[in-house]
Amino acid sequence: MSTNPNPPVVQPGAGNNIIINPNQRLNPVLNCIRNVGKEFGDIIPDYQVGRTTCILFLSLKYHRLHPEYIHMRITKLGRSYNLRILLIMCDVTEHQELIRELTKVCLINNITIIVAWSIEEAGQYITTFKQFEHKPPDLIKERVDKDYASTLQTALTSINKVNKTDVETLQTSLGSFADIAKASSDRLQNLPGFGQVKVKRVKEAFEKPFRNAVTNATFSLGSQVTAVPSGAGDVDTMVTNPGPR
């Protein structure tokens, strides 16, 4: 019989303040946590930035001297908190192997790893998590303009190697989205800035089969594009007639 997971830790009286473990009292990062309330409290992690979100702080210089420390802290943390973050302060030159090792530890223990390269950056991360505690997810969602040119640019720059300048070149030289989709490799390669690799990426985007998660049908983008009405505001209007499997 399966057992229910432990409920997340909820510290009473957290309010709008970041709760700080007293062992962080001398950490210079505290001076870089601004525009939010701070108070010391009896918590297991180093910082509690939400009712179910916590942060463990680790200096790589300290980790190199005491590699067992973070394992002890993670063990003590157990399964508490829904979102658990390991905030690493990268203060050593040879950091690649250390970060790789800690990434594996975080993957095993369901912890999100974030690397800061200065105490100011570390303080900003801690501050931001608290400030966004009650914000809706779409607040940080990319904002895309709804005019035709912006929609076209958003769609085409999602292709690897294609940048905004390339989109302007495509639109000026070929015209509509449908014309771009139907252009031959030779035609594309004659455009400025379009080498073999970039042309290959563009053609693959329109012609390489992919599986639609909704219809479970395999089709290629190029075979179904007819036209994009001038002023279209939704990329979905570009895919109008899914073909058969």
Side-chain angles (χ1 to χ4, degrees):
M1 187 176 70
S2 61
T3 58
N4 293 327
N6 294 330
V9 167
V10 177
Q11 295 292 336
N16 294 320
N17 291 342
I18 292 177
I19 309 299
I20 304 170
N21 191 312
N23 66 15
Q24 293 288 299
R25 194 177 295 274
L26 299 180
N27 191 334
V29 170
L30 292 185
N31 296 325
C32 301
I33 301 174
R34 306 183 181 96
N35 303 317
V36 291
K38 296 175 286 187
E39 63 178 274
F40 291 100
D42 184 16
I43 58 173
I44 297 174
D46 294 317
Y47 302 92
Q48 182 174 295
V49 291
R51 292 181 65 82
T52 59
T53 304
C54 73
I55 295 175
L56 292 174
F57 180 87
L58 180 65
S59 155
L60 286 185
K61 187 179 294 183
Y62 186 87
H63 176 66
R64 196 162 56 182
L65 296 173
H66 306 279
E68 76 289 344
Y69 168 79
I70 192 60
H71 296 281
M72 178 269 294
R73 295 297 307 280
I74 291 175
T75 299
K76 191 174 181 180
L77 188 63
R79 297 183 179 275
S80 302
Y81 299 90
N82 287 347
L83 176 58
R84 301 116 59 78
I85 300 158
L86 176 62
L87 178 57
I88 295 175
M89 179 68 239
C90 188
D91 48 6
V92 298
T93 303
E94 300 296 326
H95 57 267
Q96 291 88 346
E97 188 58 38
L98 294 173
I99 293 177
R100 187 178 297 112
E101 167 214 330
L102 289 167
T103 299
K104 293 178 182 178
V105 171
C106 288
L107 285 171
I108 293 171
N109 291 280
N110 192 29
I111 294 174
T112 299
I113 187 170
I114 296 178
V115 180
W117 303 89
S118 67
I119 59 172
E120 289 80 12
E121 183 182 357
Q124 185 60 50
Y125 280 131
I126 297 171
T127 300
T128 301
F129 272 106
K130 185 60 182 178
Q131 290 177 330
F132 279 74
E133 178 184 3
H134 302 295
K135 304 295 184 183
D138 58 0
L139 189 66
I140 58 175
K141 182 179 178 181
E142 179 185 10
R143 289 172 173 79
V144 179
D145 293 330
K146 294 300 183 180
D147 61 279
Y148 177 77
S150 298
T151 304
L152 183 67
Q153 183 181 95
T154 300
L156 294 179
T157 52
S158 65
I159 301 173
N160 188 21
K161 304 292 185 181
V162 176
N163 56 40
K164 294 180 180 179
T165 301
D166 295 329
V167 175
E168 293 180 8
T169 300
L170 289 168
Q171 188 173 13
T172 302
S173 304
L174 302 176
S176 70
F177 185 89
D179 293 331
I180 295 170
K182 292 182 291 187
S184 67
S185 296
D186 291 339
R187 179 79 185 278
L188 291 172
Q189 203 159 327
N190 286 329
L191 299 177
F194 281 79
Q196 290 184 353
V197 175
K198 189 176 294 185
V199 169
K200 181 181 178 182
R201 296 287 187 270
V202 173
K203 296 304 293 181
E204 284 181 348
F206 289 110
E207 298 176 356
K208 189 175 182 180
F210 63 94
R211 187 166 296 279
N212 185 299
V214 177
T215 63
N216 201 32
T218 301
F219 55 89
S220 62
L221 187 58
S223 64
Q224 63 193 301
V225 174
T226 54
V228 182
S230 178
D234 192 337
V235 178
D236 290 340
T237 60
M238 300 174 184
V239 182
T240 59
N241 185 25
R245 292 187 64 175

